[in-house]
């Protein structure tokens, strides 16, 4: 009997061990089944990259940061005492036109970027007001000619003038002497516009832009020289293939930003000729400049030059055309240089 019990116990133990082995094998099989098998024919779905929420109308560059709803046009001085200037590199578009003598002045259009400071801010002329009005921009300046002052005070243009109606929104710096020492920034300008109850929404003109990878036509143009005055004011642009932009020079020296000490650059360089006329009996030598067009010019992009015609269509924005079709711009900033029709493009612009 004891032998039978022992035998039964041995058999029972064997059955229990066998059962545990079978159970373990089952768990191992289940683990294998949970591991997904690689399927050589499986399709990997790539999610599209998120698009930008906004696109700057004057640069064609996307951003997820909300953009201001109106443009700001700032008069920036360009005499030797004003260089190097601050903030020009952050402007979406810069127009360069002769003021008095043979030195130009800039009107910088700010929208997609906001420099910490810009200046020196200087006085305005009627043809700069025309450009700003065409862009529906808030005008920022420090002083004006008699005619420009009349236009601003008798019209409905929104303007902030450091010398008359908006001194609190500007700063006179101590590292430059008067009148080359007026500076401000967009934060102050927007505050001034709000305080004066100016409209903060505007009608944006838009430019057309090349698609990614699209190249322009034209002839090689790695070096551009624009002569305003052979004696004291020659502007140069050198093409840099790495950044695909033109670096600016003045009288053979790099024209740099005061805050960064980096050369001013542009993706699009538009040089146009327009009629200039001295104002009769103006002792300061002020000019009238016709900016409606049509006229002739050159557009420089991607190291190439194209001959264009230009026109300020609907008296809004200067635009370039080839065979009646508006030219597309490289995404990025644009500089527009206006030169007198005399001596004109042939003598004023040299391309290498």
């Amino acid at each position: 009997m004891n032998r039978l019990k022992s035998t039964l116990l041995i058999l029972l133990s064997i059955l229990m061990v066998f059962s545990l082995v079978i159970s373990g094998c089952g768990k191992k099989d289940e683990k294998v089944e949970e591991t997904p098998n690689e399927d050589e024919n499986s399709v990997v779905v790539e999610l599209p990259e998120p698009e930008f929420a906004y696109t700057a109308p004057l640069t064609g560059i996307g951003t997820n940061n909300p953009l201001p709803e109106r443009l700001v046009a700032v008069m920036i001085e360009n005499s030797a005492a004003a260089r190097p200037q601050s903030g020009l590199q952050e402007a979406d578009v810069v127009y360069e036109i002769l003021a008095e003598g043979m030195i130009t002045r800039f009107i910088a259009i700010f929208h997609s970027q906001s420099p910490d400071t810009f200046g020196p801010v200087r006085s305005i002329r009627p043809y700069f007001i025309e450009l700003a009005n065409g862009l529906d921009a808030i005008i920022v300046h420090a002083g004006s000619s008699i005619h420009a002052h009349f236009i601003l005070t008798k019209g409905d243009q929104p303007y902030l003038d450091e010398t008359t109606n908006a001194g609190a929104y500007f700063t006179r710096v101590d590292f430059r002497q008067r009148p080359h020492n007026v500076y401000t920034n967009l934060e102050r300008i927007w505050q001034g516009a709000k305080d004066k109850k100016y409209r903060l929404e505007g009608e944006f003109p838009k430019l057309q832009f090349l698609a990614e990878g699209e190249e322009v036509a034209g002839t090689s143009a790695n070096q551009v020289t624009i002569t305003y005055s052979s004696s004291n004011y020659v502007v140069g642009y050198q093409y840099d293939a790495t950044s695909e932009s033109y670096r600016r020079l003045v009288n053979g020296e790099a024209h740099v930003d005061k805050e960064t000490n980096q050369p001013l650059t542009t993706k699009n360089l538009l040089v146009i000729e327009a009629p200039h006329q001295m104002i009769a009996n103006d002792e300061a030598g002020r000019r009238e400049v016709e900016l409606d067009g049509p006229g002739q010019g050159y557009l420089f992009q991607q190291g190439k030059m194209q001959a264009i015609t230009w026109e300020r269509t609907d008296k809004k924005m200067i635009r370039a055309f080839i065979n009646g079709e508006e030219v597309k711009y490289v995404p990025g900033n644009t500089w527009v240089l206006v030169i007198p029709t005399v001596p004109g493009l042939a003598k004023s612009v040299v391309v290498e």
Side-chain angles (χ1 to χ4, degrees):
M1 189 71 172
N2 290 334
R3 182 178 296 178
L4 180 60
K5 287 182 179 180
S6 299
T7 301
L8 290 174
L9 288 172
I10 291 171
L11 290 174
L12 183 59
S13 299
I14 292 172
L15 288 173
M16 290 178 65
V17 171
F18 183 76
S19 148
L20 290 172
V21 170
I22 294 299
S23 174
C25 291
K27 289 181 180 178
K28 184 176 181 181
D29 291 341
E30 289 175 4
K31 186 175 183 181
V32 171
E33 290 175 359
E34 290 177 357
T35 303
N37 295 323
E38 294 184 0
D39 184 356
E40 295 181 356
N41 297 321
S42 62
V43 177
V44 178
V45 179
E46 294 185 2
L47 296 176
E49 294 183 3
E51 295 183 357
F52 291 109
Y54 310 94
T55 300
L58 299 182
T59 68
I61 295 177
T63 178
N64 286 320
N65 298 320
L67 293 167
E69 296 187 26
R70 198 168 191 185
L71 304 177
V72 174
V74 183
M75 288 301 307
I76 304 289
E77 186 185 0
N78 191 34
S79 67
R83 300 187 211 117
Q85 297 93 339
S86 300
L88 285 172
Q89 189 60 45
E90 283 75 29
D92 288 8
V93 180
V94 178
Y95 296 93
E96 180 174 14
I97 313 175
L98 285 167
E100 291 76 68
M102 296 308 294
I103 296 299
T104 62
R105 199 160 288 186
F106 304 118
I107 187 164
I109 312 303
F110 291 99
H111 183 232
S112 65
Q113 298 187 73
S114 180
D116 293 334
T117 184
F118 50 75
V121 180
R122 199 64 193 273
S123 59
I124 198 166
R125 302 292 177 265
Y127 43 92
F128 289 112
I129 296 175
E130 289 179 20
L131 288 175
N133 284 346
L135 299 172
D136 195 21
I138 295 172
I139 300 171
V140 178
H141 61 109
S144 58
S145 65
I146 294 175
H147 188 192
H149 180 74
F150 178 83
I151 293 172
L152 292 171
T153 55
K154 300 303 180 183
D156 58 357
Q157 297 91 344
Y159 69 96
L160 297 172
D161 180 4
E162 189 267 349
T163 65
T164 60
N165 74 340
Y169 307 106
F170 296 80
T171 297
R172 291 267 180 177
V173 300
D174 57 10
F175 58 82
R176 286 207 166 121
Q177 298 197 0
R178 289 175 178 264
H180 319 292
N181 64 340
V182 181
Y183 287 75
T184 187
N185 57 39
L186 289 179
E187 182 179 355
R188 290 180 172 183
I189 294 308
W190 285 121
Q191 186 59 55
K194 292 175 183 176
D195 292 346
K196 291 185 175 298
K197 304 294 190 295
Y198 288 152
R199 174 169 47 87
L200 302 181
E201 301 80 27
E203 295 182 7
F204 288 171
K206 293 182 179 180
L207 295 173
Q208 298 184 35
F209 295 94
L210 297 167
E212 184 177 355
E214 188 175 358
E215 296 186 0
V216 302
T219 58
S220 177
N222 292 313
Q223 176 80 35
V224 185
T225 303
I226 302 102
T227 300
Y228 282 96
S229 168
S230 58
S231 61
N232 65 350
Y233 194 64
V234 178
V235 178
Y237 282 89
Q238 292 179 337
Y239 184 65
D240 176 52
T242 302
S243 63
E244 296 186 343
S245 59
Y246 283 91
R247 293 182 292 187
R248 181 179 166 92
L249 302 95
V250 172
N251 297 330
E253 301 291 333
H255 192 173
V256 301
D257 177 83
K258 182 182 181 300
E259 308 307 311
T260 65
N261 202 39
Q262 295 299 307
L264 300 178
T265 64
T266 184
K267 293 288 188 178
N268 306 280
L269 172 63
L270 179 61
V271 182
I272 64 174
E273 63 176 6
H276 290 51
Q277 181 177 335
M278 304 300 293
I279 298 176
N281 301 320
D282 189 310
E283 295 180 357
R286 298 184 181 92
R287 293 176 168 84
E288 294 177 346
V289 182
E290 171 57 58
L291 292 175
D292 289 339
Q296 304 299 311
Y298 298 125
L299 179 61
F300 300 90
Q301 305 164 300
Q302 297 178 346
K304 297 177 182 178
M305 178 188 78
Q306 299 181 87
I308 59 93
T309 59
W310 68 271
E311 187 172 358
R312 194 161 69 99
T313 54
D314 299 327
K315 294 187 178 295
K316 291 187 176 180
M317 188 174 192
I318 293 174
R319 298 179 183 273
F321 300 88
I322 295 178
N323 297 325
E325 295 291 328
E326 185 171 352
V327 179
K328 294 181 180 180
Y329 286 82
V330 175
N333 64 332
T334 298
W335 279 59
V336 181
L337 277 60
V338 181
I339 62 175
T341 51
V342 179
L345 287 169
K347 293 184 178 180
S348 298
V349 182
V350 176
V351 181
E352 300 176 29

